[in-house]
Structure formats: structure tokens, C-alpha cells
Amino acid sequence: MRVLGLISLAMFGGELQAAISPQVDWDWATSVQHSKQKDSAFISADTNSTTQFDALLDAQVSLGSWNGLFTLYGQQLYSEADYKHGLDEHADGWFENDHTDFIVRELAWQGEIAFGNESIDITLGKVRVDWGVGYGYRPLDLFKPYAQNPIGLSVEEGAVVGALSYFDQLGEWSAIYTNSHWSDREENAFAKANQQQGAGIRRYIFSGDTEYQWVAYYDDVRRGLIGASWVTVFGEEWELHAEGSWQNQYLQYQQASQPYQPVELTEHSNAWQGLIGFTYTNMHGHSLIGEYWYDQRAWTASQWEQAIDQAGKLNTSPQTSALASSYAQGLNHGNIAQHTLLLHWSWDTQAWAQWQTDDSWQWLTDFTPTLDLMYSPQDGGIIATQWLNYQWIDTGSASIELEFSARFLTGDSESAYAQINDKRTLTLSLKGKF
């Protein structure tokens, strides 16, 4: 790392000598979120509902071959809770429970080395690398996985990366080293345990209307991974995509063999992940994505049944109720259920408007509705999320957008999704650029 630091300083010094003026682009966002809580088999909620106000400011900085993305993220700048039984354990109001983080999301140098008529691209620093092709889930998002379908504000960090890329007539060869231990945000125990460092190679080929990808990677957590993806389009409306991976080792919360022991994080061998899906888009702006994915690392239907049953028994006594909450750790896995179906619909109203002869509907082009339905076929759980975006101002150099989202957890009351303490969450966000 010391050698890498010296190389980076030398490159940075060269950039300064070139006297390149930095370019800075600003993004900001605020969010008000109201959540309705409910009891689950594992945890009895302390509140009936909570409300919080969050805000962030992003700065995208470019200086020659250097690029950085920095975020000032304030959470619970305002907070309010409706406690059960009249309890008031925490003060409500402005800046009573807030915490603010300065986050280096990305900071990397990108350049190239020439060898005669050939060149190799180089990336050094903290950067987002995601090779997945799915919408709802990405088995090839290997290094610092994205949050799945977040609502409200979300801040994603990159991993420390050293990468070499060579382009030929068919596509790209890449060699990469990553380290995901640098995190400026507090992470849960499962995310910390999965922080890894390793190295691998990737081959990407684009042929006709089809893209292919192969990945081989080794790190100190998975101890060997291979993966592949495939994307093709046919006609003007249809796209098919698939991706999958196998890893040698993985971490999973193991349920106790004895009735009065907590769930523990343990290491297991051989895990498959796979996804297949389609995208349909028509000339009127309607887009439909359907996906199915499988994750062997998640709990099976029988394991969830066992967890719910065991937690119910533990909750019958105040002396053992704390043990019941340990079973909620199963919700922290990369996927809650092993089998998942997703249906996504969105409407590009601008595409629709260009086919209309009546200008009285032009106001509708400022709105973009979106709907996601996630279904767990193994136990009947459903997560429904809707978004409605309104482009309020767009001058080219500055913009302001309103977004309303609503998420509902429904379906079978004994499903894994039903064990999430949030019953529904409503969010109003204001986002802008300048």
C-alpha cells in the first residue's frame, strides 16, 4: 500500500504541475420518511411509527485524470417517534438524534500506459465496480454490493481498486485487485464480516446484439468464485439477460441446534446464485422487467419456519425473549429468501407524448411513475414499492425533482418478509443539481 501511495502522489503531482483547473458538479437531496412499525416473530417494535428528515450534499470533482465523489450525509436531522404505552425514551425534534458523516464515495486516478500501438487502461483508488446485469439483484456485484431497491436517500461507496484493462477487437480483458475494508459509514456485523480483499480476471465480449462476460476471482472470504453473464436484444422491444456465480465459501447465520442458544455467523461451503430476466419496452414509453433469481446463501423456507417457531417459543418468557431477536439476523443476508420473483413497470411519459396530437397532455411529461413487486414463492411474502417522480425545474445547468415513494410489506403473515418490523414506509424526497 505504501508503494501504491507513492505512485499515486507522483501522479497527483504531475496533475498539479499541469495546472488543470478542477471541475465540480453539485447534487443535493432531502428526504422526509414516515414508517409504520409492527411486531414480528422476532422483535416487538418499541414504536407505532417514526418520522425522520435526512439530507445529503454530493460533490463530483474532476481534476485531469483524477475523479472524486464526496458526500456530506446527515441522518435524522429531525426525528419524531410515537412510542408504545406512552414511553418517551428519546428526545424528539431537530438535531436530537442526528449523526452526520463525511463519505468518500469514490476517489480514483484513471490513465493509460502505451506499448507501441497498444495501450492499457489503469484505475487506482476507491471506485464503484459492478459487473452485474440484473435490475432487482446482481450476482456479479462482487465488491461493494448496492442496496437493493432503496427508497429515500441512499449513499453507495466504492471499494479500493487497482485495475488494468486491455481492449481488443472482441471486447475487453481486465485484471483487478479490490479491498472493501475502507468504509466511511457504519456497517452491520454481517457486512463487516463480508469485507474482503482479493484479485481476479474478467473477459467481456460484444458480438452482434449479444454481450458475454466471464469472471474468475479469489478473495479471503469467498476463497474462490467464478461467474458469467449474458445479455441479448432481439427486435426493437425485447431484451433477455442472465447471470450467475458459484463461490467456494460463504457466511450465513446458523440457527442454534439447542433451544436456548443465539443464532451465530458461521462459514459454509459451495453456494450458487443465478438470475434470469427480460425487458420489454414499447414506443409508448412503457417498460416492463421480469426477473427470477436464486440465492443458495439465504435461508430456505423450512429454516424460516423453524426460526419463526423457535422465536415464538422463546418470546413466551421474559427471560428468553432476548434470544428470539437473534433470529432476525437472517434478514441481514444478501437475499432474505432463496427464491425471488420481481416485476418492474415504469412509464416514460415523454416517449408517449411524442405520439399524441393533443398538446393539452404535455404537462404529463414531467411525471414518471414506477412500480416494483417482489414476491417470494417459497412462503408467499410480497414487497410492493411505488415511485412517482416529478421534474419540477430543468434549465440544463440546474434541476429540481420531487419524488414520492411508498413501500408496503404484505402477503402471508408467516412469510420471511413479514418479519421485517416496518409495515409501510412513505417518503417524500426533493433532489437537485447545480
Side-chain angles (χ1 to χ4, degrees):
M1 289 301 292
R2 180 176 296 176
V3 173
L4 183 61
L6 292 173
I7 294 173
S8 298
L9 285 173
M11 293 174 176
F12 185 56
E15 297 295 344
L16 289 178
Q17 292 175 1
I20 301 174
S21 61
Q23 177 183 344
V24 183
D25 296 314
W26 298 91
D27 293 75
W28 58 271
T30 61
S31 172
V32 178
Q33 189 169 90
H34 178 79
S35 297
K36 177 71 174 178
Q37 273 75 52
K38 61 180 176 59
D39 294 339
S40 72
F42 308 135
I43 299 175
S44 295
D46 294 330
T47 60
N48 295 309
S49 63
T50 60
T51 302
Q52 70 179 62
F53 174 81
D54 303 329
L56 64 81
L57 178 66
D58 282 339
Q60 178 85 48
V61 182
S62 299
L63 177 61
S65 298
W66 283 87
N67 290 283
L69 178 57
F70 309 95
T71 298
L72 189 63
Y73 187 24
Q75 295 179 274
Q76 292 185 297
L77 300 178
Y78 175 85
S79 60
E80 182 179 310
D82 175 19
Y83 293 97
K84 290 185 176 180
H85 312 298
L87 297 176
D88 189 5
E89 300 176 354
H90 305 280
D92 294 332
W94 288 97
F95 309 111
E96 295 291 342
N97 304 299
D98 68 300
H99 59 277
T100 301
D101 299 312
F102 177 75
I103 303 167
V104 180
R105 299 172 67 175
E106 293 187 309
L107 178 59
W109 179 90
Q110 293 179 306
E112 64 177 27
I113 298 177
F115 296 94
N117 295 327
E118 305 293 338
S119 65
I120 296 178
D121 291 348
I122 303 174
T123 299
L124 294 172
K126 188 177 186 182
V127 64
R128 293 263 356 153
V129 179
D130 176 14
W131 294 331
V133 300
Y135 166 77
Y137 179 59
R138 295 170 174 159
L140 294 184
D141 185 7
L142 304 176
F143 312 119
K144 202 81 167 179
Y146 282 96
Q148 294 184 36
N149 290 5
I151 55 175
L153 306 187
S154 179
V155 176
E156 307 290 350
E157 294 184 64
V160 175
V161 170
L164 303 174
S165 298
Y166 170 73
F167 295 87
D168 58 22
Q169 294 181 347
L170 295 177
E172 176 187 3
W173 285 97
S174 299
I176 190 169
Y177 160 82
T178 73
N179 186 324
S180 64
H181 287 264
W182 179 5
S183 180
D184 291 327
R185 294 194 62 200
E186 184 177 351
E187 296 184 324
N188 61 38
F190 185 74
K192 288 182 179 180
N194 277 281
Q195 290 176 341
Q196 54 78 36
Q197 61 175 328
I201 58 174
R202 169 182 178 253
R203 177 57 167 162
Y204 168 83
I205 292 177
F206 179 73
S207 177
D209 295 326
T210 304
E211 299 179 10
Y212 306 92
Q213 185 177 207
W214 296 271
V215 176
Y217 189 77
Y218 185 91
D219 62 68
D220 55 357
V221 175
R222 287 167 286 216
R223 302 187 186 278
L225 177 146
I226 55 175
S229 70
W230 168 80
V231 179
T232 190
V233 295
F234 54 95
E236 298 181 352
E237 298 180 336
W238 290 92
E239 175 263 6
L240 296 177
H241 56 272
E243 63 180 300
S245 68
W246 170 87
Q247 63 189 71
N248 184 36
Q249 301 286 340
Y250 68 99
L251 297 174
Q252 185 192 69
Y253 283 103
Q254 184 70 32
Q255 297 182 29
S257 58
Q258 302 297 323
Y260 299 108
Q261 293 179 350
V263 169
E264 294 183 347
L265 189 61
T266 57
E267 190 174 80
H268 301 262
S269 299
N270 300 321
W272 288 93
Q273 302 170 66
L275 176 144
I276 187 169
F278 71 88
T279 302
Y280 168 78
T281 305
N282 65 23
M283 66 176 62
H284 296 289
H286 294 281
S287 179
L288 188 68
I289 299 175
E291 290 182 338
Y292 161 78
W293 64 85
Y294 169 75
D295 188 349
Q296 193 174 353
R297 304 169 303 172
W299 281 354
T300 64
S302 60
Q303 285 176 307
W304 276 112
E305 290 176 4
Q306 179 180 338
I308 293 171
D309 179 68
Q310 184 63 23
K313 294 176 182 178
L314 293 171
N315 275 321
T316 58
S317 171
Q319 287 75 27
T320 59
S321 59
L323 288 174
S325 63
S326 73
Y327 286 85
Q329 300 288 350
L331 300 170
N332 290 327
H333 290 142
N335 282 292
I336 296 175
Q338 282 197 344
H339 302 271
T340 307
L341 291 168
L342 178 137
L343 189 64
H344 163 88
W345 169 81
S346 63
W347 186 24
D348 182 354
T349 51
Q350 292 186 354
W352 168 81
Q354 68 181 356
W355 298 98
Q356 307 305 309
T357 57
D358 187 354
D359 291 339
S360 63
W361 291 98
Q362 286 299 312
W363 61 270
L364 193 59
T365 61
D366 294 328
F367 292 88
T368 302
T370 305
L371 174 66
D372 279 3
L373 293 174
M374 284 180 58
Y375 173 67
S376 171
Q378 68 184 36
D379 57 17
I382 298 173
I383 299 178
T385 310
Q386 68 169 49
W387 292 267
L388 182 62
N389 290 76
Y390 171 64
Q391 189 68 55
W392 183 13
I393 298 172
D394 189 359
T395 65
S397 59
S399 66
I400 299 178
E401 177 183 302
L402 285 168
E403 178 186 87
F404 172 75
S405 63
R407 172 163 291 169
F408 302 90
L409 287 86
T410 183
D412 195 301
S413 61
E414 296 297 313
S415 68
Y417 292 162
Q419 308 318 312
I420 300 173
N421 285 103
D422 290 336
K423 183 177 182 180
R424 63 177 178 268
T425 301
L426 308 178
T427 306
L428 181 63
S429 301
L430 189 64
K431 305 176 182 181
K433 298 178 182 291
F434 61 90

